[in-house]
Structures are given as structure tokens and as C-alpha cells.
Amino acid sequence: MIKATSLQTDLIDDMQLACQDLEQQFFASGLILQKNSVGIIQCDPEFLELGILDLLYKTLNIPLVGGTTISVATNNAVGNFQFSMLILTSNEIDFVVQHTTGLADDHEQAIEQSLKPLVSKAKLNLVMLFPTVTDNDNFPGDFYVESAEKICGNVPIFGTLSVNEATRDFERSMSICNDKIFNKELTYLLFFGDISPRFFIATSPIGTNFTEDTVVVTKVKDHIVQEINNTLAVEYFENIGLATNGTLADGAYFVPFLITTATDETEDSHAKPVRQFVRAIMYFNDDGHAVFRGKIPEGARLSFASLNAVDIVQATSEVVAQISEESQVNAAIIFSCIIRQLSIGPNPFKELEKVQEILKDTPFIASYSGGEISPVNYKNREQSLNTFHNYSLIACLL
């Protein structure tokens, strides 16, 4: 069994006082640390730059993992410029925190060398990843999931790409491992033992196709779409008004692209199921190809998805209401795409406030993400489909 509590501080001017604030909240919570514990952190990058981890790691004396974000909600606070954490503790579950080395040089090898010595342990039942948003455009978020799956096997993978206020380049995106911070390494948390996580996802509502005809990705390499309907990608987007002279139109960055994998009409019982997910476009490269944040399969259909304040808050409310009806929930970890917050309007905390309102009696942490990692259609380890998402809200219940 896992027990948990959430902590937060906004004392950004004094790291000693901030650390004391967190320590006092921990003692006031009444939570007694058991055999194994871990702290999952989401915070403004300035706390890390000012050295809070050195103090906190020595004070709490438990493993720490997580990354940066722009806004956070816990049971007692919602806001920007927060340092927030969810402490998990258990006698039965073993928590292992680690980081890669040399991820930018060879992500697959770095993840393998870091994970492989650890996953030989019995009963690995959950992996949480905390990558940063890198400046390597040839590195879609799917690569983290695929590389981890090669080592961990059919285990659910959950996580978030760390962000900061610079919404295009995320130059202060950082990941946390104990008392260290990284700009270009993956940090992660492994759960060993008898744990059965549950996952929930809120995506953008389906909209309409670009045209009345079917829109199909006809040529693609990973996350770089070369042709749509057999037309050079940049020309296609220019024809529908989302680009001019090879440049994305203002606002196109906020357009969610709903990807529907091609229908498999064969009778092969092992055929992959049709699925839907959302992707974000970044820019066009020199070849006129559209670079997306995540992989898109050839033959997939494209359509718009809607993204407005009413839809976002409604979708979040529905998912969090489902979570509140679940039994035996010891803690909840929630990540929502940063574009969802930017699309909400005058009250940027509306989504997080809704989460807090509904989950007030469940220890939780909720924050914004540069890319969301969560299984879809998860029922058990035999039916786990780990997926990299954009524009979505994901939740993991422990």
C-alpha cells in the first residue's frame, strides 16, 4: 500500500525558508515515512537554479525526481512560481530513481545502459519518465517511450516532458534526480512491487477535416510529414490557409491535429487496432516537410480537433470526476499540455482549480507538460499501449 501527502511553497526569495516551509508542512501532515519513499517534484525553474535541491535532499533524505513546469496544483495551493511535491511512502513498494548519461549523443543506448541493470529486479510494474524538451528536432517524444519499452517490456509507462515559460524553445526545461538537475538527460522513477496503477486521459474533442475529402498522410518519416494527399506538406498547408510562404500562420501552433490510424481491413487476428491521438506541429523544414512533436504513421488520417476554454475545462472535469469515483486511490499524478493552459483565457488556473476542487480529499499533484506519456486503453500489463500525447491531460492513480 502507498501513503502520500502533497507539499508546496512559493517562498522563492529564500531557499532556506522555502525548505523549512516544506519540512513544516510535512510534519504537520502526519505522514510517517515507511521503509521506502520518494518525492515527485514539479516546480518553477528558478527554485532549482537557486539551489533548493541541495537543501531539500539533505533535509528529507529520500530520493527526489521530477522536473520544471509553469503552474502547479496540489491539495492546498494552485499557482505559478511554486515548488510542489508529492511524497509517496510504502513498506511494500520499492521506488528507484535514476538518470541517463549521454542521452543527446545516443538516446537509445543511454536509456538501455541506465535502465538495463535496474529492471532485472522482479515485479517492475510502473515506469515514470521525466525528459526535458530538447533543442534536437529529430527527437520526437515517442523515442523515450520506445527505448524504455525495449528494456522494460510490457510495463505501463507514464510521464511528462518538463517545460518552462518559454513556450517555443523551453530553454530552462530541467529534469530532477535527487540533488542534481539536468537539461539534456532523462530522469525516471521505477515502481517495484504489488502495485496496480490506473490511467485516465482527456483529449481535445474531434472537429472537422481540412476538406470534405479524406486527408491522409501519404509519406512520413517518424515525426516528419513529407506529403499529405500526395502533395508536399508545406504546399498542402498553404492551400488550406495554415501557412504562407513556407511559414506556419499565426495560431497554427495552437491547432491540435487529430491522428486516426488507418483502418486495417484484413482478417488478421493480430492486426493492430485503430487508435486516435493528438499531435502538435512545430514548423516546416528546408525541404517543405512538416515537423511534428510526435510520430505519425503513414496512412493515418488527419483532422482538426477543437481547443477552447469551455471544451478543455469540461473534458478535464469529466475525467477528474471519474477519478474521484474510483475506489482505493492513495495518490494521483496529473499532467496537462501547456497549450491547454494557454488556450483557457483570462483565468490560466481554471483547469488546475477544477482538479483541486474535485480531488480535494486525495493527495495529488497536477502540472503542465510539454508532451504527455501515458498508456491508452489500459486494462492490464497484457493490454498496455504506451503512447506519447500532445494537447492532452493524463492521470495516473496509485
Side-chain angles (χ1 to χ4, degrees), residues 1-4 31-38 87-95 121 123 191-195 330:
M1 178 181 178
I2 289 178
K3 295 184 178 181
L31 182 69
I32 298 175
L33 293 184
Q34 300 184 7
K35 180 182 176 181
N36 306 306
S37 301
V38 67
I87 294 181
L88 307 177
T89 191
S90 175
N91 286 325
E92 298 81 24
I93 309 301
D94 189 13
F95 309 104
K121 285 188 172 184
K123 291 188 176 180
F191 292 71
F192 295 92
D194 188 13
I195 183 174
N330 303 305

Side-chain angles (χ1 to χ4, degrees), residues 271-330:
K272 292 183 179 180
V274 174
R275 61 191 182 99
Q276 289 186 325
F277 51 93
V278 180
R279 284 288 175 259
I281 190 171
M282 293 193 289
Y283 62 89
F284 300 106
N285 64 19
D286 293 340
D287 297 319
H289 301 158
V291 181
F292 285 78
R293 286 204 176 274
K295 293 174 70 173
I296 298 175
E298 190 167 295
R301 298 191 302 275
L302 291 183
S303 60
F304 283 122
S306 65
L307 199 65
N308 58 66
V310 173
D311 288 337
I312 291 169
V313 175
Q314 180 179 347
T316 297
S317 299
E318 291 173 355
V319 166
V320 179
Q322 293 177 36
I323 292 172
S324 68
E325 294 174 358
E326 291 284 308
S327 60
Q328 297 181 334
V329 178
N330 303 305

Side-chain angles (χ1 to χ4, degrees), residues 143-214:
F143 283 6
Y144 298 112
V145 179
E146 293 167 357
S147 297
E149 278 186 327
K150 287 181 180 179
I151 308 304
C152 300
N154 196 23
V155 175
I157 300 176
F158 186 83
T160 176
L161 271 67
S162 301
V163 293
N164 64 290
E165 73 282 355
T167 56
R168 286 302 181 110
D169 52 22
F170 299 112
E171 59 186 13
R172 297 168 75 205
S173 169
M174 306 177 198
S175 61
I176 295 166
C177 181
N178 296 325
D179 58 347
K180 298 180 177 62
I181 58 175
F182 300 93
N183 294 109
K184 295 183 179 181
E185 295 293 348
L186 167 70
T187 64
Y188 56 87
L189 167 61
L190 306 179
F191 292 71
F192 295 92
D194 188 13
I195 183 174
S196 299
R198 287 156 282 176
F199 304 96
F200 294 80
I201 301 174
T203 57
S204 303
I206 298 173
T208 58
N209 285 330
F210 298 132
T211 67
E212 294 181 358
D213 300 322
T214 302

Side-chain angles (χ1 to χ4, degrees), residues 325-376:
E325 294 174 358
E326 291 284 308
S327 60
Q328 297 181 334
V329 178
N330 303 305
I333 303 162
I334 298 173
F335 301 119
S336 180
C337 179
I338 189 173
I339 301 299
R340 293 170 71 91
Q341 185 188 46
L342 297 176
S343 301
I344 285 177
N347 180 3
F349 305 127
K350 195 169 185 178
E351 184 180 32
L352 293 182
E353 287 172 347
K354 181 58 67 174
V355 173
Q356 185 189 55
E357 174 188 331
I358 299 176
L359 292 186
K360 57 185 177 181
D361 296 325
T362 299
F364 80 91
I365 191 167
S367 64
Y368 283 103
S369 169
E372 306 78 55
I373 299 169
S374 179
V376 296

Side-chain angles (χ1 to χ4, degrees), residues 4-304:
T5 190
S6 63
L7 314 173
Q8 69 290 314
T9 185
D10 59 1
L11 300 178
I12 202 166
D13 294 325
D14 190 320
M15 292 302 100
Q16 188 74 47
L17 289 178
C19 191
Q20 291 174 2
D21 186 20
L22 293 167
E23 185 179 16
Q24 290 169 2
Q25 291 177 46
F26 170 71
F27 286 122
S29 73
L31 182 69
I32 298 175
L33 293 184
Q34 300 184 7
K35 180 182 176 181
N36 306 306
S37 301
V38 67
I40 298 174
I41 295 169
Q42 292 289 281
C43 67
D44 183 274
E46 190 164 346
F47 282 95
L48 304 182
E49 293 164 348
L50 292 175
I52 193 172
L53 289 183
D54 291 335
L55 297 169
L56 192 63
Y57 187 54
K58 294 174 183 176
T59 299
L60 294 180
N61 195 30
I62 63 173
L64 304 175
V65 71
T68 54
T69 189
I70 59 170
S71 301
V72 195
T74 60
N75 297 81
N76 297 314
V78 177
N80 294 329
F81 306 110
Q82 298 272 342
F83 184 97
S84 302
M85 66 186 304
L86 181 71
I87 294 181
L88 307 177
T89 191
S90 175
N91 286 325
E92 298 81 24
I93 309 301
D94 189 13
F95 309 104
V96 175
V97 168
Q98 193 51 271
H99 67 85
T100 59
T101 301
L103 187 75
D105 298 325
D106 187 333
H107 71 276
E108 191 168 345
Q109 182 179 19
I111 291 174
E112 179 180 355
Q113 289 179 345
S114 183
L115 273 172
K116 199 167 186 178
L118 301 174
V119 300
S120 58
K121 285 188 172 184
K123 291 188 176 180
L124 173 63
N125 279 325
L126 176 62
V127 177
M128 285 193 183
L129 303 181
F130 297 92
T132 61
V133 177
T134 71
D135 55 6
N136 186 348
D137 295 335
N138 293 318
F139 203 85
D142 310 76
F143 283 6
Y144 298 112
V145 179
E146 293 167 357
S147 297
E149 278 186 327
K150 287 181 180 179
I151 308 304
C152 300
N154 196 23
V155 175
I157 300 176
F158 186 83
T160 176
L161 271 67
S162 301
V163 293
N164 64 290
E165 73 282 355
T167 56
R168 286 302 181 110
D169 52 22
F170 299 112
E171 59 186 13
R172 297 168 75 205
S173 169
M174 306 177 198
S175 61
I176 295 166
C177 181
N178 296 325
D179 58 347
K180 298 180 177 62
I181 58 175
F182 300 93
N183 294 109
K184 295 183 179 181
E185 295 293 348
L186 167 70
T187 64
Y188 56 87
L189 167 61
L190 306 179
F191 292 71
F192 295 92
D194 188 13
I195 183 174
S196 299
R198 287 156 282 176
F199 304 96
F200 294 80
I201 301 174
T203 57
S204 303
I206 298 173
T208 58
N209 285 330
F210 298 132
T211 67
E212 294 181 358
D213 300 322
T214 302
V215 180
V216 178
V217 176
T218 47
K219 190 174 182 181
V220 63
K221 182 178 180 181
D222 293 328
H223 64 306
I224 301 175
V225 174
Q226 299 168 348
E227 294 181 3
I228 300 173
N229 284 2
N230 298 310
T231 301
L232 186 66
V234 66
E235 294 178 1
Y236 189 88
F237 281 99
E238 288 175 345
N239 290 339
I240 63 170
L242 283 184
T244 303
N245 297 326
T247 302
L248 279 174
D250 291 342
Y253 184 69
F254 292 88
V255 175
F257 293 86
L258 185 71
I259 310 300
T260 305
T261 58
T263 303
D264 193 331
E265 298 179 353
T266 69
E267 295 181 359
D268 182 2
S269 60
H270 299 291
K272 292 183 179 180
V274 174
R275 61 191 182 99
Q276 289 186 325
F277 51 93
V278 180
R279 284 288 175 259
I281 190 171
M282 293 193 289
Y283 62 89
F284 300 106
N285 64 19
D286 293 340
D287 297 319
H289 301 158
V291 181
F292 285 78
R293 286 204 176 274
K295 293 174 70 173
I296 298 175
E298 190 167 295
R301 298 191 302 275
L302 291 183
S303 60
F304 283 122

